Amino acid sequence: MKFRVERDVLADAVTWTARTLPTRPPAPVLAGVRLEADASGTIGLSSFDYEVSARSEIPAEVSEPGTVLVSGRLLAEISRALPAKPVDVVLEGNKVIVTCGASRFTLLTMPVEEYPALPAMPELTGTVSGDELTHAVAQVTVAASRDDTLPLLTGVRVEIEGERITLLATDRYRLALRELTWTPVTPSYSAVALVRARTLNDVAKSLGSSGLVNVGLSTGAGVDLIGFEAGGRHTTSQLVDGDYPAVRRLFPDETPIHAVVPTAALIDAAKRVSLVAERNTPIRLSFTDGQVVLDAGQGDDAQASEALEAVLVGEEISVAFNPQFLLDGLGALGTDFVRLSFTHPNKPVEFTGQESLDGEDSSVYRYLLVPIRFAG
């Protein structure tokens, strides 16, 4: 095998393909990236850990076609560190020689015949705007659990009904819902899938800038898979198995009390006040006519409070939240104003966005947060 490729092209492709490699692979070959040089002038790079696969293709001057398997992380680090010159890659015996300018690296190969076959990309189901996918996934995954002992809650529930996709995630303390539109191949297409939040986040960030993202979903035929493709890059992921809890019903049907506050001002105030909130201690929001007072800390500890202008509809109310969960929800909104809708001081509070102080709230993104009970 022998080929020449541009440094930036190689570095981008190897970094992207190697990004999901396991830190402790169940088999040594799974730490590798497979390079396949084709006589037509393309290099295919692939990685697979039996759950997530990644494939990308780049143009190159191929002198001798061939296939090798080398350490993905090492090749990614080397290719990023090379000078900005063309890179020559040659297989000599059981070693790969990487030369770029005056730099020369020798990498040991792994047995390519032991590498598992990558799953095929599922048949195209529809296309979605990359920018919208990136934004929607970021808004929802803030609420997904990071506790691997509850694998179901580390996933994002994807509900597809015709042209509408609904994303849902919860870690039992908060719940995020985001709706977006896409173009399905079949107008009446309907499906439900549970995708790892980590994988979905990674895909949205890495493929979202490519314009349109092709999505393929395959369920009920052996292995349940979701696949994404954009800009010559493909990634597939096995779906999470199990029944996701019926979380939609947690959103209240009606809320007798609501308050509207400028989002940026509330974020800044919450950050300042939470400086004195010890780990796991709440930040309290007290809503009265025309204002909200944020305070944290109590007794002999450091204390802080700050008042902001707010519009309150309904009776006065006080709630307390985990500061980080509050900031996560506010940061995900992306609107000038936030509406907090209440049913009771100890019941979950719904956060939605508004473009103006007296405008209508948007139901495209909804964030539900369980308050912390406070003494008195």
Side-chain angles (χ1 to χ4, degrees):
M1 186 186 80
K2 186 177 182 183
F3 64 84
R4 169 173 277 205
V5 64
E6 290 300 320
R7 195 284 306 261
D8 289 352
V9 173
L10 178 68
D12 280 354
V14 177
T15 301
W16 184 82
T17 309
R19 75 202 188 289
T20 57
L21 288 175
T23 41
R24 287 191 288 275
V29 290
L30 296 182
V33 160
R34 187 171 177 263
L35 301 173
E36 189 171 355
D38 191 275
S40 65
T42 58
I43 307 296
L45 299 92
S46 49
S47 65
F48 185 38
D49 66 356
Y50 289 115
E51 286 185 353
V52 178
S53 79
R55 270 177 300 204
S56 57
E57 285 191 352
I58 54 171
E61 294 172 27
V62 179
S63 311
E64 293 173 28
T67 306
V68 294
L69 185 67
V70 292
S71 163
R73 287 215 159 79
L74 188 55
L75 184 61
E77 285 170 6
I78 289 170
S79 56
R80 286 196 297 267
L82 291 172
K85 294 178 178 177
V87 183
D88 289 300
V89 180
V90 183
L91 174 64
E92 291 181 4
N94 66 342
K95 292 176 180 173
V96 169
I97 315 295
V98 178
T99 314
C100 179
S103 302
R104 179 186 161 97
F105 290 88
T106 304
L107 284 84
L108 282 175
T109 61
M110 300 173 176
V112 74
E113 64 280 358
E114 291 178 19
Y115 201 67
L118 268 69
M121 176 82 180
E123 201 173 310
L124 181 68
T125 310
T127 54
V128 62
S129 153
D131 288 344
E132 187 160 9
L133 180 69
T134 304
H135 188 214
V137 167
Q139 287 182 304
V140 169
T141 50
V142 294
S145 175
R146 287 152 187 79
D147 181 359
D148 288 327
T149 60
L150 295 165
L152 265 185
L153 300 187
T154 63
V156 171
R157 181 176 164 92
V158 181
E159 299 175 353
I160 304 173
E161 207 57 63
E163 293 183 349
R164 191 175 73 243
I165 297 178
T166 305
L167 306 176
L168 286 152
T170 183
D171 61 3
R172 296 178 300 167
Y173 306 105
R174 62 248 178 98
L175 165 62
L177 177 151
R178 168 68 203 260
E179 291 185 345
L180 65 156
T181 56
W182 78 322
T183 309
V185 172
T186 311
S188 59
Y189 185 78
S190 173
V192 173
L194 191 55
V195 188
R196 284 175 189 78
R198 210 169 35 234
T199 304
L200 200 54
N201 223 339
D202 179 62
V203 164
K205 281 179 184 166
S206 63
L207 298 182
S209 57
S210 308
L212 285 177
V213 177
N214 292 333
V215 183
L217 191 57
S218 135
T219 56
V223 180
D224 291 347
L225 273 186
I226 190 165
F228 301 90
E229 185 271 322
R233 293 176 173 178
H234 307 70
T235 188
T236 67
S237 173
Q238 282 188 21
L239 299 178
V240 182
D241 195 26
D243 294 324
Y244 203 70
V247 290
R248 259 181 193 269
R249 58 183 175 77
L250 298 174
F251 286 103
D253 293 329
E254 51 185 46
T255 47
I257 307 166
H258 75 258
V260 181
V261 191
T263 311
L266 185 54
I267 290 173
D268 291 344
K271 282 179 180 174
R272 282 190 288 268
V273 170
S274 65
L275 292 173
V276 301
E278 294 291 322
R279 193 166 171 266
N280 296 332
T281 60
I283 178 171
R284 182 166 163 169
L285 281 70
S286 303
F287 292 89
T288 54
D289 189 32
Q291 72 167 16
V292 55
V293 176
L294 294 80
D295 64 84
Q298 53 191 352
D300 298 329
D301 297 329
Q303 295 176 20
S305 72
E306 185 165 339
L308 292 175
E309 283 187 24
V311 171
L312 178 67
V313 175
E315 60 190 55
E316 296 181 356
I317 191 166
S318 292
V319 288
F321 296 118
N322 170 308
Q324 192 54 53
F325 291 178
L326 172 64
L327 287 166
D328 284 345
L330 294 173
L333 280 170
T335 51
D336 290 344
F337 293 88
V338 54
R339 177 189 290 219
L340 294 85
S341 303
F342 310 91
T343 53
H344 181 275
N346 294 329
K347 292 277 176 68
V349 179
E350 184 178 351
F351 292 69
T352 47
Q354 283 187 201
E355 294 303 336
S356 62
L357 192 61
D358 50 5
E360 285 296 307
D361 66 322
S362 164
S363 60
V364 170
Y365 179 63
R366 303 164 78 184
Y367 183 81
L368 198 66
L369 181 55
V370 177
I372 296 171
R373 291 175 185 244
F374 51 84

